[in-house]
Amino acid sequence: ILATIQVLERISTALDGLAQKPQQAFLLHYLEGQTHAQIADHLGVSGRMVRKYLVQALMHCCQIHILD
């Protein structure tokens, strides 16, 4: 449980540096398990934009070594 809490804290810190929609897309997909289509509907964007947001969030996390 402690390890999970620590990882979630690191992810939260990493996402603080992102714009709101990439943050939301990341959380909806990876924590809530929503599909790209569901996220697109929720955010009012296209599925392609959701993919861009997820890539942006993952690249950001990799740049600060959150996924190492």
Side-chain angles (χ1 to χ4, degrees):
I1 293 173
L2 178 60
T4 301
I5 291 170
Q6 290 172 337
V7 168
L8 289 173
E9 286 174 349
R10 289 179 66 197
I11 291 171
S12 177
T13 299
L15 294 179
D16 282 343
L18 288 172
Q20 183 180 6
K21 286 190 178 183
Q23 283 183 27
Q24 288 178 319
F26 182 93
L27 294 173
L28 291 170
H29 185 68
Y30 291 104
L31 296 182
E32 295 187 21
Q34 290 190 18
T35 65
H36 290 198
Q38 290 170 319
I39 297 166
D41 286 341
H42 181 82
L43 296 179
V45 298
S46 68
R48 183 178 177 151
M49 197 71 226
V50 170
R51 287 188 294 277
K52 287 178 140 182
Y53 289 153
L54 292 174
V55 167
Q56 182 182 359
L58 290 171
M59 288 178 61
H60 181 77
C61 289
C62 286
Q63 287 175 349
I64 63 166
H65 306 289
I66 192 80
L67 298 178
D68 289 347

